[in-house]
Structure formats: structure tokens, C-alpha cells
Amino acid sequence: MAVTRFAPSPNGPLHLGHAYSAIVAHDLAKERGGQFLLRIEDIDGARSRPELADEFRRDLEWLGLEWDEVPTQSSRLESYDEAARELLEKGLLYPCTCTRAEIEALKPRLGPEGLVYPGTCKGRLLDPAKPAALRLDVDCAMARAGDLEWEDELAVCMTADPREAGDVVIVRKDAPASYHLAATLDDAADGVTLVTRGQDLFPATHVHRLLQALLGLPVPSWHHHGLLMDESGKKLAKRRGSPSLAERRNSGEDGLLLAEQLRLHRFPAGISLAST
Ligand code: GLU
């Protein structure tokens, strides 16, 4: 039995990489007599376009997938607030008013998810007029949680190493929760037992494993699949000219056939599957 999920953010149309990801999650659940869930992650600040969610449902239907839909993230804000309060009360979060430009100017080290915040606001008196995010004090959190392991079906058993990503944002300035907090809480609330997603999110799992320990959440297994790449070796993205699933669907392409091709790893010209 496996409960898997596909959790797209409606901030742009889905492309072939998303189709591959949804099919992997769908098929793993079906092969194991489990359940495949769709969760719309619609709290991405100004970039979120909730009207795209209907397009996503049509795309999945076109690919021949069957799913159960769980509540969208925008309907779960209370649970994010509650968890953030719990972490705050444990002394594991601190407010940060730094802007992206200010952080860049500090020339911090590069981590798996971009620049690693050097902790400038930690313990500092902040201007209350400035909007603040809440960051995880990762050293403090690790000291509290101790050594943590997690398991990826395609890799080995990993020791969680969230320090690599530094003091990540838990509550954003422009959104009620960061991806890390929302996805971790939702996977637990939705009973997901096998988190399937692309390898680009592998580093995030270290942070999620830590959050699970801090918040007393169940620990699933993970399955980070390879990513579809274009000719230049870059991850597929709409902006690099790969047609969206909606465009393919509207042009009359056969979605069931496309899904079968993706299952067989037969990709359109110039597209390949890469695993790191
Ligand atoms: N909403 C995230 C995305 O679209 C999902 C990440 C995940 O599967 O955990 O990238």
C-alpha cells in the first residue's frame, strides 16, 4: 500500500516534466494497491494563479490518470499558523527582514537551493515597520532533533543534513507559509506514505525530515525520480520553449499515447531523462 501525491503549484502551466512526475506517482500508487492524490499548492504569493488548477485537472484527465483530490493549500492556512507558532514557542524560529538584494550583497555561500542565509537577523533588534519572514534556526533545531535518517527508494538511507541549506524560511513575508512548512504538514495530514517528486527537490527533503521531527509528524519514504532535460541539458521549463500540456492537449495530441510513451521512457526529440 502506498499513498502518493502530485502537488503542482498553479504559477505556470504544466509541461512534459510534470506529466512524467504525475505518471510516476500515479503508477507507483496503483501498482501497490494504494491511492494517488492531487494537491494544488496555491499559496505562492503573487505568482499564484488559482484559475490554472482547472487546467491541471484537465491535463491529468487527458493523460488518463485517476486521482483523489485533497484540499488546496489556501484552505489549510490555520494548520500552517499553528505549526509556525509551535516552532516559535520552542525558540526555533527568528524573524528576518532582509531583502533578497541585501542577502546577495553579503555574498553568502551557495547551498543546494541557492544562497545560504548567513543568519544576519538572528538575535538582532529589527525595525518593526519592515515586513519580516520567519526563519528556522537550523543549528538549534538540529541540536533539539538529534541525528535523523530518511529513506529514498532510489538512493540509500540518508542522514538528514539540513545545515547545508542553512536557516531556511518557514513563514514567508508574502505568503502564510514556505513551501517547506506547507508541503511537510500537508503530506502528513494527507496520509502520504511515499513522497514522489523530482530529484531537484532532493535537498529539500533534508529540511522536511527535520520539520517532521520537530513537529512530531509521521515519516514517509521518498522516491525522487530523474528529471526531463532539454537539448541544452537544462531542466524542462515552459520558458525554454517546451510546449505546455494544455497546448499539446488543445492541439489534438493523444494524451493516452503520450502517457504510454513517457512510461516507456520514449521522449520527444531532444528530451532525455537525467538522474544525478
Ligand atoms: N508545489 C511544488 C512544485 O510544484 C511541489 C513540490 C513537491 O512535490 O514537494 O514544485
Side-chain angles (χ1 to χ4, degrees), residues 5 7-9 41 179 197 201:
R5 68 359 176 233
S9 303
E41 303 211 321
Y179 157 64
R197 58 186 173 210
L201 288 166

Side-chain angles (χ1 to χ4, degrees), residues 5-11 18 21 39 41 73 179 183 187 195-198 200-201 208:
R5 68 359 176 233
F6 176 56
S9 303
N11 48 28
H18 293 110
S21 195
R39 183 172 71 230
E41 303 211 321
Q73 288 195 325
Y179 157 64
D187 283 338
V195 176
T196 53
R197 58 186 173 210
D200 51 338
L201 288 166
H208 299 183

